[in-house]
Amino acid sequence: MSLAYPLTSLPPLSLYIHIPWCVKKCPYCDFNSHSARGEIPEQRYVEALSRDLESALPLIWGRSIHSIFFGGGTPSLFSATAIDQILAMVRSLTRLEFFAEVTLEANPGTVEAARFREYKAAGINRLSLGVQSFNAGHLQALGRIHDAHEAHDAVAIAADIFDNYNLDLMYALPQQTLREANLDLTAALSYRPPHLSCYHLTLEPNTPFHSQPPDLPDDDLSADMQIMIEDRLALAGYQHYETSAFAQPRLQARHNLNYWQFGDYLGIGAGAHSKLSFHDRVIRQMRHKHPRDYMEQALAGDPVQTENTVAAAARGFEFMMNALRLTDGFDTALFSERTGLPITAIQSQLEQAEQRGLLVRDHLRIAPTPLGQRFLNDLLGLFLPAA
Ligand SMILES: C[S@@+](CC[C@H](N)C(=O)[O-])C[C@H]1O[C@@H](n2cnc3c(N)ncnc32)[C@H](O)[C@@H]1O
Ligand code: SF4
């Protein structure tokens, strides 16, 4: 289906590169990650990524890459040579912006200073470290491969090598008290990280935690944890700019911001998702999910498993699903710029959300209220396209 109003400009384009292996699968995780049994077929995967990007080039002709994110899985299982090869391949096939943010996700159980220096030399300029907690008991309950000492060592190494880095923390962990959540935050803040992502642990379908739920804090306690985190981080000078993201001034994650502002991304690698705009349509793609199938198909020049055009009504909802995660909301003009729809397409939903105190707006900006942020799913529900 073509756009009601053709896009007059294309959004920034990010590149996501999925690395689908982990040392061991964590019992709460539903990401496309697989236990690395035996040796990882690193060179074959690098070759598959290269063929994948080559085959996607006609979809992004003439566009420059604004940010790169190596996500997983555990990208830090890959050698610095492999990361260097991938980045060299990206630079040779595309136009990478000079100040592009290039992030690599790392697991604290896989951090070695020498290799991390080599990642930096290869072009990684931001690290995202999956610390989750600094508490030995909670790390064990989460089935993590790292302990509390390794968590601290990994952050110290990240801070030493990278000016720009993020720490992932999770809260509402099995049997966690408010005091323990507070101590985790104190430990994280002792490093003054440029960026913190604080995720409420969720029970994802098809995970061991879902089928055999651990003893989790109740809703009141986990809400208290969330309030404590928001209050302390505000006091410490962090801007709470997205549901789970907190940054020191000017250190917001550019790659993630592009997702939340309904920008474009090409995802390469096993199971990676893409969203790409053209003047007359917006498409989504998904790569073959299992690493074995993906490598086989990508090397044969056919990495994409599914592709579909996003229907007009769905574009409005998808935009809101992303942009309403931003605590400052979005510029009203961005809605039409990114979706090709007039803002009047969601007029009645905006009015309803405003009446219920979930959203504020003027002719320049639309933003969720604190109530809307807390009850984001209720707010988003208003924008669901009619079935
Ligand atoms: C792909 S993982 C990150 C990197 C690396 N694999 C690791 O775990 O160290 C991205 C982040 O999502 C968060 N996460 C994963 N599963 C989650 C869940 N069920 N609930 C809340 N956060 C989760 C974790 O904080 C994790 O660091
Ligand atoms: S290390 Fe990260 S991606 Fe891998 S299983 Fe654990 S949470 Fe998931």
Side-chain angles (χ1 to χ4, degrees):
M1 185 190 296
S2 65
L3 292 181
Y5 297 84
L7 297 185
T8 48
S9 63
L10 295 180
L13 174 67
S14 296
L15 177 66
Y16 175 80
I17 303 174
H18 192 74
I19 308 291
W21 291 283
C22 293
V23 173
K24 133 177 191 277
K25 185 87 186 168
C26 303
Y28 56 86
C29 173
D30 77 336
F31 286 86
N32 184 26
S33 60
H34 304 258
S35 298
R37 292 190 201 92
E39 192 127 320
I40 293 175
E42 194 180 86
Q43 271 314 304
R44 191 156 186 261
Y45 198 75
V46 171
E47 187 55 35
L49 287 174
S50 169
R51 294 295 309 278
D52 188 348
L53 183 57
E54 271 171 32
S55 70
L57 288 178
L59 299 178
I60 58 163
W61 283 142
R63 300 181 67 179
S64 58
I65 308 271
H66 148 103
S67 61
I68 302 180
F69 194 98
F70 286 88
T74 304
S76 54
L77 279 180
F78 265 34
S79 67
T81 309
I83 299 297
D84 188 49
Q85 285 173 334
I86 297 168
L87 285 174
M89 175 268 290
V90 172
R91 284 191 207 95
S92 70
L93 293 177
T94 68
R95 192 147 46 92
L96 182 59
E97 285 176 16
F98 190 73
F99 289 111
E101 178 189 88
V102 186
T103 305
L104 180 123
E105 250 179 5
N107 183 317
T110 64
V111 172
E112 290 157 28
R115 187 159 38 85
F116 277 55
R117 284 209 170 80
E118 288 169 15
Y119 286 154
K120 189 178 179 182
I124 300 296
N125 55 28
R126 185 172 182 271
L127 202 73
S128 179
L129 208 52
V131 174
Q132 323 308 353
S133 170
F134 290 93
N135 177 303
H138 291 137
L139 287 170
Q140 207 177 11
L142 290 172
R144 298 294 298 187
I145 58 165
H146 68 279
D147 61 23
H149 288 292
E150 283 166 317
H152 280 288
D153 287 350
V155 184
I157 289 172
D160 184 39
I161 298 175
F162 292 93
D163 295 333
N164 197 3
Y165 68 93
N166 164 63
L167 304 183
D168 281 344
L169 284 185
M170 292 196 297
Y171 65 95
L173 305 179
Q175 296 186 328
Q176 190 179 36
T177 62
L178 184 58
R179 184 171 171 276
E180 286 166 338
N182 208 328
L183 287 174
D184 265 349
L185 195 59
T186 302
L189 281 175
S190 69
Y191 296 96
R192 292 287 308 155
H195 193 285
L196 265 167
S197 302
C198 299
Y199 299 111
H200 185 298
L201 174 68
T202 49
L203 297 184
E204 301 290 347
N206 302 319
T207 62
F209 267 23
H210 195 264
S211 46
Q212 286 178 301
D215 180 12
L216 295 176
D218 62 22
D219 287 352
D220 285 345
L221 178 52
S222 61
D224 286 347
M225 290 178 183
Q226 187 180 338
I227 292 166
M228 176 275 294
I229 291 169
E230 290 174 3
D231 288 352
R232 283 197 64 192
L233 288 177
L235 269 177
Y238 287 80
Q239 190 202 356
H240 180 196
Y241 69 102
E242 184 268 346
T243 309
S244 312
F246 302 81
Q248 289 198 30
R250 292 178 300 284
L251 289 171
Q252 299 179 341
R254 296 183 62 203
H255 184 87
N256 296 1
L257 252 188
N258 194 35
Y259 292 154
W260 297 321
Q261 291 174 337
F262 209 49
D264 276 4
Y265 48 94
L266 172 66
I268 60 172
H273 294 257
S274 305
K275 175 235 163 198
L276 295 165
S277 307
F278 303 85
H279 81 283
D280 59 348
R281 68 196 196 284
V282 176
I283 65 163
R284 288 197 176 277
Q285 290 185 333
M286 192 186 87
R287 274 30 185 178
H288 292 279
K289 201 162 175 193
H290 196 280
R292 191 188 46 231
D293 301 337
Y294 166 74
M295 286 188 284
E296 211 174 286
Q297 299 289 337
L299 289 168
D302 189 16
V304 177
Q305 183 171 24
T306 59
E307 176 174 315
N308 65 289
T309 302
V310 185
R315 280 195 307 270
F317 173 66
E318 289 191 11
F319 176 94
M320 296 306 266
M321 207 167 70
N322 284 284
L324 286 177
R325 296 182 66 89
L326 295 167
T327 50
D328 281 349
F330 57 91
D331 188 333
T332 307
L334 195 71
F335 181 83
S336 303
E337 208 176 298
R338 297 284 153 93
T339 64
L341 301 166
I343 192 73
T344 48
I346 52 166
Q347 188 66 24
S348 65
Q349 294 95 317
L350 287 172
E351 277 165 15
Q352 234 184 313
E354 205 175 15
Q355 278 160 14
R356 289 175 53 181
L358 298 170
L359 177 144
V360 283
R361 65 192 171 121
D362 57 28
H363 61 290
L364 289 178
R365 249 196 133 62
I366 296 175
T369 58
L371 188 71
Q373 288 166 34
R374 192 123 295 162
F375 297 99
L376 187 60
N377 285 338
D378 293 342
L379 173 55
L380 294 177
L382 298 176
F383 295 92
L384 265 172

